Amino acid sequence: MTTVKASMAGTVWKIIVTEGEEVKAGQDVAILESMKMEIPITAEVGGKVKKILAQEGDFINVNDDILELE
C-alpha cells in the first residue's frame, strides 16, 4: 500500500479520483488551493485507489495523507 501525500499545506479544493479507480504514475489525483493558487497533486506510482482520506474543503499540512493506493 502506498499513500499520496500533500506537497504543501492548503485546502483540498477537488478530489479528482474515486475509490476503486485505477491511476497511473504521474496522474493528477487531487487539487489543493493555497495562496489563491491551484496546486495539482499527482500519484508517484500507479495503482488502485483503496481509500480517500481527505475530503474536499479539508485543510491539510505538508506530508498529510490524501489517499491510499494498493
Side-chain angles (χ1 to χ4, degrees):
M1 180 180 63
T2 304
T3 57
V4 176
K5 298 182 178 291
S7 57
M8 66 185 307
T11 303
V12 178
W13 183 71
K14 185 164 183 75
I15 301 291
I16 301 172
V17 296
T18 58
E19 289 182 3
E21 184 175 340
E22 290 286 336
V23 296
K24 296 179 181 175
Q27 180 178 337
D28 291 347
V29 295
I31 300 173
L32 299 184
E33 188 277 325
S34 183
M35 298 183 292
K36 308 253 188 243
M37 296 185 328
E38 295 177 5
I39 299 97
I41 303 298
T42 59
E44 292 182 10
V45 297
K48 184 177 182 179
V49 179
K50 181 178 180 182
K51 185 172 184 180
I52 297 174
L53 304 170
Q55 303 302 313
E56 292 178 5
D58 287 354
F59 181 83
I60 55 177
N61 289 302
V62 175
N63 291 326
D64 281 355
D65 295 336
I66 298 174
L67 54 86
E68 295 177 351
L69 296 176
E70 60 180 0

